[in-house]
Amino acid sequence: MPPQRGMELSSSYQEGGPAQGRNHLLIIGIDDYLHWPRLHNAVRDARTFAEALCRHYQFEEADVLKLFNEEATEGGIYQAIRELKRRVGPNDSLIVYFSGHGHYDREFDEGYWVPYNGGRDAEETYISNANILKRINALDGHHILLIVDSCFSGSLLTTTRSAQVDEHFPSRRVLCSGRLEAVSDGAPGTHSPFAHLLIARLRENTAPALDTTTLIQHIKAHIGKQSKQAPVDGRLQHSADRGGEFMFHLKVGEADYWARISQQGGIEGYEQYLNTYPQGKYAAEAARQLLLLREDAVWARARQNHNELAYRNYLRQYAGTGKYLQAAEEQLQGLEAQQEERRKVLEKLAQQDAEREGIQQKFQQLVDEAEGLFQQEQLEPARGRYRESLQYYMDGFTPSYSYIEEQINLCANGLAFLQHIQKGREAMGRGNHRLALQYFQEAARHGDDPKLEDLIRVCRQKLGQQQARPEPENQQQARASSSRGADGANAAKTGRLILKMMGWGIGAIIVLALIGIYWPGEDPAYPPAAYTPPGQEAQGLGGSPTEALPSSYTALVVGSWSLEDILINGQPYSYVTGDFLNWEQYGYTFYANGAALSRTPQGNEQQTYRIQGDYIYVHSPIWGGSPGLIRQLDRHHMKLLFYIPDGMGGTMAYEVSFTR
């Protein structure tokens, strides 16, 4: 059994930012202790970690302080931190890496680093976490990251909180190899399990910038396969931390990065290049290579699934241009011929009602078994039962032949495909196109859907538009500072609103529509009309004259309206939900040609509307064409009354008031 980085002492004790500066590194590794058991890999881990950073990332040897074995005394460690106080500037970043023995005093809830000369049962010779954190908080760096690979290191953590992956804001973060338990040192001549995962991920990375959160999640996800320890991370309390993130930037430019990506030649690499340089010098070639590689992947999945639906999907996606069109047609024809032959045989056997009923019972038995296995997420056995049921399928049986084929594909691709599509749409609804792009690209690895390419293209266009609009540095900083607080408040408020409105059933969709929370593209029954600027109301979407809307209310409704209030069953919205919103940020602009523009803090959405009698219909994926009774409409005020099913057999009244 490999030694552990810590031990029981006595019966009393039981187990790239906005202003780029320099990157500093302090590494501490101790194998040969004066009074504690010898470790095998602490120095090797620390030295290899420093080499990986200096070789692959934007760290220089001149900015690295190294303390190994007898150099890492209590005084030596304190003196090194004092030297960092002189070196590290406000725009610089610092990583402190400690690899050695640790100790935890449960009686006083205090953790310690054990220096080279630390005595046995002599806490006064150790370095307490309190002293470490006090000195770290005294440094001026923009980002400071502590990585501690020792026993009981989790006691360093004082508080945790979520954060955006954004290096613009300062951070004070800690990653520990374990919580309050002993951790493995690894076999002699190797690395500890924690250091092995950390260093391997840094070496294998091809993205221009690797964020700390991704690195931590990788270690947590894989360390359980190698050791019974649970890495933890957190942020320092009462520090300069503002929820930012240290980024590991590779030592490459766009040309070098492209050379590395094109040499490796994988889907993930080309996607990383386009995510980083959506309008880069090699973007067109990267997109071309992606199309070729994705076609190969779609064809490989079709061959794996080997059913009619898979081949039809390939033919639909690559009609007229695919490399495997002839092969797909031949496979599809062969499967159709086999199916037709089976149907003829079954029809002949089922000429008598009793025979057909027996076939149907066998078919239903297999489908029921498959459905039960699918619900238990036993996908491979379920796939076999579904396939076997097709041997007994006849026209008129339920479920349909296409449903069973779809279930076979779901079994093959897993549930991850649908989950990533859902998460991507939610991210798009929040305006986070970079996160949505990651989800859609991950979904493409699990299944085939022609809509995916459209969603990925929209995300890239949005990201390209953001890069194409540079702002002065002072405006960028001011906007980043102000939007950070506003986005956090809006996100928290939106979360509370959804939770509170869930209990109100379907009626919540009106409020969600008004505050701009929706998933675009899910209801093709009402595609939004093209936007018509003011002054062109007499022109239709195609440039031809458009008839005026057939209603006496038309002349009054045209124009811009701001939301004034919402009454839910006669009660003010703020009373029902407990939230107070700035209603002036929400509203509609109605045009005489039937076009409408929804305005929210998250952006504008093009829609259409029509007036029929005393009702107005706003056609959007959320409103779904639900009619609103016009209770009041004059030059300055408008009140609309909606009756919405509450999901429990009744209805709820929503009175929405607007003002000019």
Side-chain angles (χ1 to χ4, degrees), residues 322-379:
K323 296 186 294 183
Y324 309 103
L325 291 178
Q326 182 176 353
E329 290 282 3
E330 292 174 355
Q331 293 291 340
L332 181 59
Q333 291 172 5
L335 289 174
E336 289 175 341
Q338 293 176 13
Q339 181 63 20
E340 183 62 27
E341 188 64 28
R342 285 195 297 269
R343 287 174 181 170
K344 290 180 180 178
V345 172
L346 292 174
E347 287 290 351
K348 184 176 180 180
L349 293 174
Q351 290 178 357
Q352 297 180 2
D353 291 342
E355 292 181 359
R356 180 181 176 90
E357 182 178 351
I359 294 173
Q360 187 171 10
Q361 289 177 352
K362 181 63 176 178
F363 169 78
Q364 192 63 52
Q365 175 189 345
L366 290 169
V367 171
D368 291 343
E369 292 176 2
E371 292 284 282
L373 292 169
F374 183 83
Q375 292 298 326
Q376 298 171 19
E377 298 187 8
Q378 300 183 33
L379 300 183

Side-chain angles (χ1 to χ4, degrees), residues 240-299:
D241 181 84
R242 294 297 181 269
E245 186 95 347
F246 179 79
M247 308 287 283
F248 294 84
H249 292 275
L250 288 176
K251 287 183 175 179
V252 293
E254 181 183 1
D256 293 334
Y257 182 56
W258 171 252
R260 185 174 180 180
I261 290 298
S262 57
Q263 183 178 7
Q264 294 177 348
I267 289 178
E268 184 175 358
Y270 289 119
E271 287 177 343
Q272 287 179 352
Y273 172 83
L274 288 174
N275 292 346
T276 307
Y277 304 102
Q279 296 180 341
K281 181 178 179 181
Y282 310 100
E285 177 62 19
R288 190 181 73 83
Q289 292 295 334
L290 267 181
L291 289 176
L292 296 175
L293 291 172
R294 284 175 178 159
E295 182 184 358
D296 291 340
V298 171
W299 174 247

Side-chain angles (χ1 to χ4, degrees), residues 380-406:
E380 190 60 35
R383 182 183 181 190
R385 293 291 195 283
Y386 281 126
R387 280 182 166 174
E388 188 178 354
S389 72
L390 289 180
Q391 307 298 320
Y392 296 88
Y393 177 79
M394 297 180 63
D395 289 338
F397 283 6
T398 301
S400 66
Y401 188 88
S402 61
Y403 169 82
I404 297 176
E405 280 199 323
E406 290 172 356

